[in-house]
Amino acid sequence: MAAQIVAVAGGRMLCLALLTLFGAVALTTGLITPIAFCTALAGLGGAAIIPRLSGYSAGFGHTAMILWAVALGAHLVPGFHNLLVLDQVQSGPDSTAFSMYLNLDKPLVLFAVLLAWPNMNTPIAQVRRFPLFVGLILLPLLFATGLATGAVRPEIGLPEWWQVFALANLLLTCLTEEAFFRGYLQSMISSKLGAALGIAAASVLFGLVHWPGGMALVAFASILGAACGLGYYATGRLWVPTLMHFVFNAAHLVFFTYPGPA
């Protein structure tokens, strides 16, 4: 988590030192196996080379990195022993039970995309206010839609484990996902096909990774992705969609059944 914060802030050398320490400790304690360590190292090394490539080699490099990132995000790479911190807990009596891990694999995607697309966190000269306004308005409208369709129900409360949820959700989930889908995919697609297609494509892809939760979750996640995409397009700052994503998740936890009604 510390390495993530330093990386986004631009401290490359300190970030490298923290990542090296993380790898050494995780490998020594058995949280990461040698195979997982080598897979992570290969992906990060390949991502660092991508900005030097051009033409077909650049396309191959980006494709390989996306596949590597998806494999880590979906926990398909063996050898990462993610830490179970919440086991079948409920945020309230009317909510479904869920479990939460402190993932060691998925957050590595953040460092790879920062290496492969280093300008993703460059603010634009002037904030585009209307797209930002639309993106912010979509968030309460999404909750209203969830209430209307029964996807969530009102349930106000703050569970005792909210601190670990907030920290992990902000850094390991929201920051990583926004860096990949908005900072990287949306930026890359927009540079080739325009901003509208970039936002739409990244939003749909973000929705599709929620496929295991069903079509309704795919639709809701796509709308959330569009809101965050507009926030990123309006500012060029990675922290804007990250905070939009996190505030949405936090409001979901505090004011509604999380992740859904029992």
Side-chain angles (χ1 to χ4, degrees):
M1 291 181 183
Q4 285 184 301
I5 295 171
V6 171
V8 174
R12 294 175 66 92
M13 294 307 296
L14 179 55
C15 173
L16 179 61
L18 289 170
L19 271 182
T20 302
L21 178 61
F22 162 76
V25 171
L27 192 60
T28 302
T29 57
L31 290 173
I32 295 179
T33 66
I35 292 177
F37 180 84
C38 292
T39 302
L41 194 61
L44 293 172
I49 297 172
I50 289 177
R52 304 186 184 96
L53 304 177
S54 61
Y56 289 112
S57 58
F60 174 81
H62 283 292
T63 301
M65 201 206 77
I66 290 171
L67 293 174
W68 174 87
V70 169
L72 286 182
H75 315 300
L76 299 178
V77 177
F80 288 94
H81 301 143
N82 295 320
L83 305 170
L84 178 65
V85 290
L86 298 176
D87 187 14
Q88 290 300 296
V89 296
Q90 288 178 279
S91 63
D94 293 330
S95 295
T96 54
F98 76 102
S99 299
M100 190 182 79
Y101 291 82
L102 294 182
N103 294 317
L104 305 173
D105 43 8
K106 182 178 178 179
L108 294 174
V109 172
L110 170 70
F111 306 106
V113 296
L114 283 170
L115 289 169
W117 202 257
N119 295 323
M120 70 166 63
N121 199 29
T122 303
I124 63 174
Q126 185 174 1
V127 173
R128 301 179 175 103
R129 294 184 180 180
F130 183 71
L132 180 59
F133 173 77
V134 174
L136 292 172
I137 288 297
L138 280 176
L139 300 181
L141 289 178
L142 187 52
F143 279 126
T145 304
L147 287 170
T149 58
V152 295
R153 290 202 298 262
E155 185 177 61
I156 300 176
L158 192 63
E160 61 182 10
W161 36 261
W162 70 269
Q163 296 98 330
V164 66
F165 174 90
L167 187 63
N169 193 261
L170 174 61
L171 295 176
L172 303 184
T173 300
C174 296
L175 178 58
T176 298
E177 291 181 355
E178 293 308 311
F180 181 70
F181 286 99
R182 254 57 69 181
Y184 177 53
L185 287 182
Q186 180 176 313
S187 291
M188 185 167 55
I189 297 170
S190 295
S191 68
K192 305 294 183 183
L193 302 175
L197 284 177
I199 294 171
S203 301
V204 170
L205 291 172
F206 179 68
L208 288 175
V209 301
H210 294 81
W211 177 264
M215 277 303 300
L217 184 57
V218 170
F220 285 127
S222 297
I223 297 171
L224 175 59
C228 294
L230 287 168
Y232 179 70
Y233 167 73
T235 63
R237 294 171 170 88
L238 188 58
W239 65 264
V240 172
T242 299
L243 284 183
M244 291 173 67
H245 192 164
F246 173 70
V247 168
F248 179 86
N249 288 350
H252 185 179
L253 177 71
V254 174
F255 297 110
F256 302 95
T257 49
Y258 187 93

